[in-house]
């Protein structure tokens, strides 16, 4: 496995792979790799001839009060995971290499969806995410890009960017990986104290309950939202950020559920903020194409 720190060399490595008839699978990460990242790498390894992981903690996507300084950095361990997962190349640039002219003033505007839900809690976050992902797409060139469903709003925005700005990238969504008790795997989980960790699976419980309600024919989105909020609220250690029911294609908030919806939760456990989501399909609706395959789609909203 080769570790590349310069943009030009990374571009050349991807071009050389394509010249060799290999499909490039791009797995963007900020490191602190866990089983969620491993599943993205394995999907890319199965579906592509050349797997390129990027390892870059992107300062643009952190707000002033956020955890850029303390974000876990464990490069040696990450490189081991990447090698063990069959990566061909890891692109690990410095901040100066990625942004040689300093913080860019030309950025990717995520539109209105970028200001709602996670975007309301973290102003500027999705502009930072889309800007770095656009740069990585530009460097990698024609490729498949692998992203987790755990960050559903990020995934929806990346799909919109690809649809509207036409980089030669096919977005592949991979299912959320969970602990045995349902907690979605995230690099933030290690920050939970023992009691917070014990409380955190309430997010999955609330989402699974609500998914069951929708599957059995509950059409009132307010009732579904209130149910999720009630389950989360039953754990004194959990402080709800939002409980949302959005159309899985347009990401608009709903009153009536008539097709596949995305159920979303954010909550704080102590100082650690966790998010999770699940797809729910009412009776009689066709589910969207299953994630994890290059052909899967979803989120047609503009
Ligand atoms: O999901 C992440 O780890 C980051 O937001 C990403 C997509 C690598 C961009 O920095």
């Amino acid at each position: 496995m080769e570790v590349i720190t310069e943009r030009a060399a990374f571009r050349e490595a991807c071009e050389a792979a394509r010249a060799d008839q290999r499909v490039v699978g791009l797995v963007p990460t900020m490191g602190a790799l866990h089983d969620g990242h491993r599943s993205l790498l394995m999907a890319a390894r199965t579906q592509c001839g050349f797997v390129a992981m990027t390892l870059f903690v992107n300062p643009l996507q952190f707000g002033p009060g956020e955890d850029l300084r303390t974000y876990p950095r464990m490069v040696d361990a990450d490189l081991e995971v990447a090698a063990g997962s069959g990566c061909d190349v890891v692109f690990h640039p410095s901040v100066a290499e990625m942004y040689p002219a300093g913080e860019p003033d030309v950025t990717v505007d995520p539109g209105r969806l970028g200001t709602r839900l996670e975007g309301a809690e973290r102003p500027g976050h999705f502009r930072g995410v889309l800007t770095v992902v656009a740069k990585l797409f530009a460097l990698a060139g024609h490729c498949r890009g692998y992203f987790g469903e755990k960050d559903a709003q990020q995934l929806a925005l990346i799909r919109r960017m690809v649809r509207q700005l036409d980089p030669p990238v096919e977005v592949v969504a991979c299912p959320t990986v969970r602990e045995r008790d349902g907690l979605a795997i995230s690099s933030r989980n290690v920050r939970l104290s023992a009691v917070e960790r014990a409380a955190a699976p309430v997010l999955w419980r609330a989402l699974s309950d609500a998914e069951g309600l929708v599957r059995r024919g509950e059409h009132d989105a307010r009732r579904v939202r209130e149910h999720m909020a009630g389950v989360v609220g039953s754990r004194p250690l959990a402080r709800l950020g939002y409980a949302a029911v959005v159309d899985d294609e347009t990401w608009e908030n709903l009153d009536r559920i008539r097709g596949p919806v995305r159920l979303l939760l954010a909550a704080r456990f102590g100082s650690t903020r966790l998010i999770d989501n699940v797809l729910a399909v009412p009776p009689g609706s066709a589910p969207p194409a299953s994630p994890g395959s290059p052909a899967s789609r979803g989120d047609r909203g503009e």
Side-chain angles (χ1 to χ4, degrees):
M1 184 182 80
E2 195 185 354
V3 179
I4 294 177
T5 55
E6 284 168 12
R7 285 169 295 150
F10 179 56
R11 191 194 293 275
E12 275 164 27
C14 294
E15 275 168 7
R18 277 188 298 273
D20 197 24
Q21 309 304 321
R22 294 198 274 170
V23 171
V24 174
L26 180 72
V27 183
T29 81
M30 297 208 298
L33 301 183
H34 49 60
D35 284 353
H37 298 107
R38 274 197 195 86
S39 77
L40 302 180
L41 291 166
M42 297 316 283
R45 184 68 285 165
T46 313
Q47 296 166 7
C48 305
F50 182 81
V51 178
M53 185 185 97
T54 69
L55 170 43
F56 178 63
V57 181
N58 173 35
L60 288 192
Q61 67 190 75
F62 290 80
E66 292 187 25
D67 51 358
L68 172 62
R69 208 175 38 81
T70 57
Y71 196 85
R73 289 165 174 88
M74 41 185 78
V75 176
D76 291 343
D78 288 342
L79 294 179
E80 256 178 53
V81 172
S85 309
C87 259
D88 294 294
V89 154
V90 172
F91 177 46
H92 177 43
S94 64
V95 174
E97 175 64 20
M98 274 303 265
Y99 302 118
E103 189 172 326
D105 46 20
V106 177
T107 57
V108 179
D109 183 345
R112 198 172 68 85
L113 177 54
T115 64
R116 295 171 45 214
L117 300 163
E118 283 308 285
E121 176 71 20
R122 307 179 66 188
H125 171 67
F126 287 120
R127 178 182 296 278
V129 170
L130 292 192
T131 301
V132 79
V133 170
K135 263 181 93 89
L136 295 173
F137 285 173
L139 293 171
H142 195 285
C143 66
R144 287 183 186 149
Y146 289 79
F147 297 90
E149 283 204 320
K150 154 81 171 46
D151 294 313
Q153 192 176 1
Q154 166 174 288
L155 172 63
L157 285 165
I158 291 169
R159 280 176 159 150
R160 283 181 188 198
M161 177 174 77
V162 167
R163 235 181 5 263
Q164 296 182 18
L165 301 185
D166 282 328
V169 177
E170 184 173 8
V171 174
V172 183
C174 295
T176 302
V177 179
R178 298 184 180 281
E179 304 282 6
R180 290 167 76 89
D181 58 10
L183 179 65
I185 293 184
S186 153
S187 26
R188 298 218 153 95
N189 293 355
V190 293
R191 299 185 180 169
L192 297 167
S193 69
V195 277
E196 290 161 1
R197 173 64 188 80
V202 73
L203 293 181
W204 172 239
R205 224 165 28 253
L207 289 167
S208 320
D209 271 17
E211 186 277 331
L213 291 179
V214 174
R215 187 166 21 87
R216 290 190 296 275
E218 176 59 82
H219 288 293
D220 185 340
R222 185 179 45 84
R223 274 202 212 126
V224 176
R225 270 193 303 273
E226 284 176 1
H227 185 83
M228 291 195 290
V231 175
V232 174
S234 71
R235 289 300 297 226
L237 274 180
R239 268 183 298 129
L240 185 70
Y242 57 76
V245 179
V246 300
D247 183 288
D248 191 50
E249 290 190 1
T250 66
W251 276 68
E252 290 304 329
N253 285 319
L254 294 174
D255 293 327
R256 294 289 294 166
I257 297 173
R258 297 193 174 88
V261 288
R262 188 70 43 191
L263 311 177
L264 303 148
L265 280 174
R268 273 187 198 281
F269 298 82
S271 59
T272 306
R273 189 165 173 281
L274 299 181
I275 58 171
D276 200 355
N277 73 91
V278 81
L279 176 76
V281 182
S285 280
S290 66
S293 76
S296 69
R297 285 284 182 275
D299 176 48
R300 302 266 180 254
E302 303 301 316

